[in-house]
Amino acid sequence: MKETIILPKRSWLRIDFREMLQYKDLFYFLALRDVKVRYKQTAIGILWAFFVPIISMVIFTVFFGNLAQIDSSGAPYPIFVYVGLVFWLFFSQALSSASGSLVSDQEMIKKIYFPRLILPSSTVIVAFIDFLIASSILCAMMFYYQFVPKPISLFLIPILILITYFTSLGMGLFLSAVNVKYRDVRYIIPFFIQMLLFLTPVIYPAKIAGEKYQWILNLNPMSGVIENARAIIIGNTPINLESLAMSIGISILLFIVGLFYFRKTEQKFADVV
Amino acid sequence: MSKPVILAENISKQYQLGEMEPYVALRDVIAKSLNPKKWFTNKESHRETFWALKDINFSIEKGEVIGLIGSNGAGKSTLLKVLSRITSPTTGKITLRGRVASLLEVGTGFHPELTGRENVFLNGAVLGMTKREISKKFDEIVEFAEVEKFLDTPVKRYSSGMRVRLAFAVAAHLEPEILLVDEVLAVGDTQFQKKCLGKMDEVTKEDGRTIIFVSHNMGAIQSLCKSCVVLNQGKIVTIADTDKAVQEYLRLTNSQESGTGPFDTKIKNFTIEQIRLSQMQYSKPLITELLVTNNTDKELNNIRVGIQIFNSQLARIMTVTAKIDAIPKGKHKLEISAEDTNLPPGNYSISLGLGLLDTGIFYRPQLLFFEMQPTSVIDPFIVSRRDVLGSCPPTDYKITQLS
């Protein structure tokens, strides 16, 4: 028979994986809920998932590609910026929904026990689904511009996705826990994401910083993700293993810090939220 | 002897009053950290704290159904929250043997935009069921909730009654070894409440499930629980058989002098100062004393007084009414005497209502608790039977020799 012992303090390291497994269906249903509810009572429904990246791409192409003439390493600017956008939107959407997840489901937190980690991690799934939808347009664009991805992409793309997942989840875990206590987070997030867009090579190439300062840009794990995504998909630039390694390292670090803070504050969520 | 299913050792829960504020603005924290003078003063230590639970110890065996009773703020919900791991205790240790499910609210996690079907799965998962378990019981749940026709309608179009029925149906089909239930039966219509109570009763008897049940409904407590834990101000007052515990609970509530007013009525300047019972003895008239002040500019006519009497299970067993022809200006004592109430010794409570012709001008439920005393010359048979729950008229008999 299962024995549970409740003590005043829990060790943050002892994540009960068996319990997480027991609640895997909750994870599934919460993600399903978010997917289903997301476009309920909207006139065009799921089409929003196509519109947002396409419209962003068009605007960026007009202003940064055509008017500002930003260097796109020889590739057509639309596909150049779109590769960046697909990963960027995945990241920013995952981050903002994960950060708000605990507060928006506070009634559940106050009334029932379940491993709290499930809430922010399931919201990231929704962002991932939008990412898949946006990627389908990318495939169409690759077909149109006749880009053939390198075979290595089959191996590297999942890694890039995982980096994005863990970066946004790590930051999301941290911010969602902070948000429980300090509702300021809600106002900071949109601003923070907007700032981060300019610190990430979405609209410009990664080499813009120059070799000397490239490492500063690489501190942002999304930088390495987008740079290498372009290298794989467009193929005009070489794969940058250095920035990839840094992205992996920093995303793991962010995830551990986020998880640590989350676990540390988790027991007080119901009292504070 | 087997180990207890729930073992609570020295459970205490402290809240910092500051924490109960809605939220702290980051701005304040930053402002504080920018002010060097405040670096060394510890704000936390100035916070007021209070113990929602203090030194709670108990153990519960497998298959027991335990009631948790106490007045508002006694710590019942906090204890359930600690037991169900929603919040952690400040001190102490709890050992739970078996799968735990808690039901602090019906329909936790219901999403208004989703259909009834989708919500059954979501809510089931929130309560800790797996997808397979829910699928297996799906038809049973829907039948229990009586919402077959509306399964594919978003829950936001449901009536509140339908929503509660569906939510409770999901909860009623949980199969944990330990079930913690807060006052969830307070919602829904009486008929459905009865159905739920029946279901809970059935479930415990069949499977030997352990249940902790919080309620203010003494009737429900008495029909479900063998024994009860009585809480008051975060401490355990007693753990006893249900009947004894309910008496204790009523005694506790009783000592909170709820009969002293003044109470305002809907008529301006007409107040009830006090309500008191005198002569609470078996087989003597029960006398209710009302102190009323009429500061209106005229005398009040045709005032109706209704006194509802409840037994220790909070079931209404008697109504005493009186029509007062006139209450002149000024302060008055009104004595209403009810003959032949025949209430046997025990604990009772009353609700008071006043009306002017057909309009109600005052109503207060459970205004006063009292205990009927045995008369000195009482039939010892009645004293020994304190569980008599209705009136118990004194009897006489005659024996006649026929041949």
Side-chain angles (χ1 to χ4, degrees):
Chain A
M1 185 176 275
K2 194 189 163 197
E3 185 168 305
T4 316
I5 295 189
I6 304 173
L7 291 168
K9 283 207 167 67
R10 266 198 299 251
S11 151
W12 77 276
L13 263 172
R14 267 185 42 209
I15 298 173
D16 192 342
F17 289 104
R18 248 180 62 195
E19 186 184 68
M20 293 288 275
L21 208 66
Q22 191 201 323
Y23 276 93
K24 68 178 192 305
D25 288 337
L26 177 61
F27 180 89
Y28 167 77
F29 282 116
L30 281 175
L32 191 69
R33 173 195 73 174
D34 290 342
V35 171
K36 277 184 173 162
V37 167
R38 194 166 153 80
Y39 298 115
K40 279 265 164 93
Q41 239 180 36
T42 55
I44 60 168
I46 193 84
L47 284 179
W48 278 114
F50 293 96
F51 278 12
V52 174
I54 291 177
I55 290 170
S56 313
M57 176 193 70
V58 170
I59 291 171
F60 285 2
T61 304
V62 170
F63 285 94
F64 298 110
N66 294 355
L67 297 177
Q69 296 281 326
I70 283 178
D71 172 31
S72 55
S73 321
Y77 192 81
I79 194 164
F80 169 84
V81 78
Y82 197 78
V83 173
L85 269 172
V86 170
F87 280 92
W88 172 256
L89 287 174
F90 176 23
F91 168 76
S92 62
Q93 207 194 99
L95 177 60
S96 68
S97 58
S99 309
S101 62
L102 294 177
V103 170
S104 62
D105 275 320
Q106 52 175 297
E107 284 313 308
M108 265 166 67
I109 290 181
K110 279 192 273 189
K111 294 292 181 191
I112 200 124
Y113 172 80
F114 53 88
R116 307 302 191 203
L117 274 172
I118 287 179
L119 273 180
S121 16
S122 74
T123 55
V124 179
I125 297 293
V126 183
F128 179 66
I129 288 172
D130 278 13
F131 168 82
L132 291 181
I133 292 172
S135 301
S136 68
I137 301 167
L138 182 62
C139 293
M141 284 173 83
M142 286 167 72
F143 193 72
Y144 178 80
Y145 287 108
Q146 310 215 318
F147 280 111
V148 182
K150 293 178 180 169
I152 195 174
S153 65
L154 287 178
F155 166 69
L156 272 182
I157 292 280
I159 290 183
L160 297 181
I161 290 173
L162 281 178
I163 296 173
T164 313
Y165 189 92
F166 280 104
T167 307
S168 53
L169 184 57
M171 291 170 78
L173 284 176
F174 178 78
L175 288 169
S176 64
V178 175
N179 198 14
V180 166
K181 199 164 183 187
Y182 303 107
R183 295 294 150 83
D184 308 56
V185 169
R186 192 174 14 189
Y187 303 102
I188 295 172
I189 292 280
F191 181 66
F192 178 62
I193 286 175
Q194 212 169 25
M195 295 289 290
L196 219 52
L197 172 63
F198 294 105
L199 296 174
T200 309
V202 176
I203 48 184
Y204 55 82
K207 64 178 185 197
I208 206 169
E211 264 183 39
K212 205 174 161 192
Y213 297 110
Q214 171 91 49
W215 67 273
I216 299 181
L217 202 60
N218 284 350
L219 284 178
N220 171 1
M222 288 314 290
S223 177
V225 168
I226 290 172
E227 188 188 359
N228 285 295
R230 281 182 182 138
I232 296 159
I233 293 164
I234 304 172
N236 284 5
T237 45
I239 288 173
N240 186 340
L241 285 178
E242 191 193 329
S243 70
L244 185 68
M246 230 164 130
S247 287
I248 293 175
I250 291 177
S251 71
I252 291 173
L253 187 74
L254 282 173
F255 180 72
I256 291 175
V257 170
L259 186 66
F260 172 75
Y261 186 77
F262 190 91
R263 293 283 298 172
K264 204 177 146 238
T265 49
E266 164 176 62
Q267 283 179 296
K268 292 220 160 183
F269 286 167
D271 297 337
V272 179
V273 75
Chain B
M1 205 177 118
S2 63
K3 290 177 180 172
V5 172
I6 304 176
L7 181 66
E9 296 162 275
N10 294 317
I11 302 302
S12 297
K13 173 75 185 174
Q14 187 183 45
Y15 278 110
Q16 287 180 340
L17 290 178
E19 265 179 12
M20 299 188 100
E21 285 164 12
Y23 59 87
V24 197
L26 194 55
R27 176 188 53 170
D28 299 335
V29 176
I30 293 170
K32 191 191 151 199
S33 62
L34 289 179
N35 185 348
K37 279 183 197 165
K38 290 187 181 168
W39 284 357
F40 300 104
T41 58
N42 189 358
K43 198 180 157 197
E44 309 281 322
S45 61
H46 297 304
R47 276 201 184 146
E48 262 188 83
T49 57
F50 88 99
W51 293 94
L53 292 175
K54 192 88 180 114
D55 301 326
I56 303 290
N57 287 287
F58 61 86
S59 75
I60 295 173
E61 302 296 325
K62 184 175 158 46
E64 277 190 291
V65 183
I66 301 289
L68 194 54
I69 52 182
S71 48
N72 289 326
K76 305 184 297 288
S77 296
T78 308
L79 183 55
L80 278 199
K81 279 189 176 179
V82 169
L83 287 175
S84 56
R85 286 192 288 169
I86 292 168
T87 182
S88 57
T90 312
T91 66
K93 181 184 174 188
I94 301 166
T95 314
L96 299 163
R97 293 190 177 88
R99 208 174 132 193
V100 187
S102 63
L103 200 56
L104 268 60
E105 178 190 66
V106 285
T108 312
F110 259 41
H111 197 290
E113 295 284 353
L114 296 180
T115 66
R117 184 190 305 276
E118 289 162 342
N119 268 311
V120 167
F121 280 95
L122 178 60
N123 187 232
V126 169
L127 292 172
M129 290 158 99
T130 62
K131 194 179 167 187
R132 260 183 52 204
E133 283 175 300
I134 306 167
S135 305
K136 215 173 76 190
K137 294 199 169 150
F138 187 79
D139 293 334
E140 225 180 301
I141 291 173
V142 172
E143 195 193 327
F144 190 84
E146 303 159 22
V147 291
E148 291 92 337
K149 269 192 253 168
F150 308 97
L151 264 185
D152 295 305
T153 311
V155 161
K156 65 177 175 181
R157 311 245 182 270
Y158 278 34
S159 72
S160 52
M162 280 160 68
R163 208 173 309 176
V164 168
R165 285 210 304 273
L166 185 63
F168 198 91
V170 179
H173 290 82
L174 276 172
E175 279 186 351
E177 278 108 18
I178 302 169
L179 183 61
L180 310 168
V181 190
D182 204 347
E183 186 116 61
V184 287
L185 294 172
V187 287
D189 54 56
T190 5
Q191 212 187 341
F192 192 73
Q193 279 180 22
K194 271 190 193 149
K195 195 168 159 183
C196 296
L197 283 175
K199 176 84 190 171
M200 275 178 66
D201 211 24
E202 173 191 319
V203 158
T204 43
K205 286 199 176 117
E206 271 177 20
D207 314 342
R209 195 165 306 174
T210 312
I211 299 187
I212 296 189
F213 181 59
V214 168
S215 183
H216 284 110
N217 180 349
M218 294 302 135
I221 289 273
Q222 264 158 329
S223 65
L224 279 176
C225 314
K226 273 221 178 67
S227 52
C228 285
V229 174
V230 184
L231 279 181
N232 191 35
Q233 297 182 340
K235 290 179 185 148
I236 291 185
V237 179
T238 180
I239 302 175
D241 288 352
T242 298
D243 285 336
K244 240 175 151 181
V246 168
Q247 303 281 330
E248 185 63 25
Y249 164 68
L250 289 178
R251 197 188 58 76
L252 272 173
T253 339
N254 191 3
S255 63
Q256 287 162 1
E257 288 184 28
S258 43
T260 325
F263 303 109
D264 286 330
T265 65
K266 279 187 189 158
I267 295 176
K268 213 182 155 197
N269 293 329
F270 176 60
T271 50
I272 299 163
E273 307 293 335
Q274 204 187 34
I275 171 168
R276 211 166 70 84
L277 292 172
S278 57
Q279 193 169 287
M280 294 162 287
Q281 271 184 327
Y282 175 68
S283 81
K284 291 201 173 162
L286 180 69
I287 297 172
T288 312
E289 283 178 18
L290 285 174
L291 281 185
V292 293
T293 305
N294 179 2
N295 279 340
T296 60
D297 46 13
K298 55 180 193 307
E299 70 168 33
L300 294 165
N301 297 317
N302 295 318
I303 299 285
R304 286 170 188 279
V305 180
I307 299 160
Q308 301 169 335
I309 300 178
F310 297 81
N311 67 9
S312 60
Q313 296 195 355
L314 296 189
R316 193 164 100 201
I317 52 168
M318 190 176 291
T319 305
V320 175
T321 57
K323 188 176 141 231
I324 317 297
D325 293 327
I327 299 177
K329 287 194 278 183
K331 200 168 176 177
H332 298 278
K333 181 162 127 182
L334 191 61
E335 280 176 294
I336 297 158
S337 160
E339 310 284 335
D340 301 329
T341 58
N342 294 327
L343 293 173
N347 287 290
Y348 299 89
S349 61
I350 64 169
S351 300
L352 178 70
L354 262 67
L356 180 65
L357 292 172
D358 286 338
T359 0
I361 56 167
F362 176 82
Y363 181 72
R364 179 95 31 144
Q366 313 300 321
L367 185 62
L368 197 68
F369 291 82
F370 66 95
E371 187 173 359
M372 285 301 273
Q373 303 294 340
T375 31
S376 46
V377 286
I378 185 132
D379 177 351
F381 180 58
I382 285 172
V383 184
S384 68
R385 289 192 353 172
R386 281 212 155 196
D387 58 342
V388 174
L389 291 173
S391 72
C392 183
T395 44
D396 206 349
Y397 72 93
K398 168 164 100 170
I399 182 160
T400 323
Q401 191 169 10
L402 292 177
S403 58

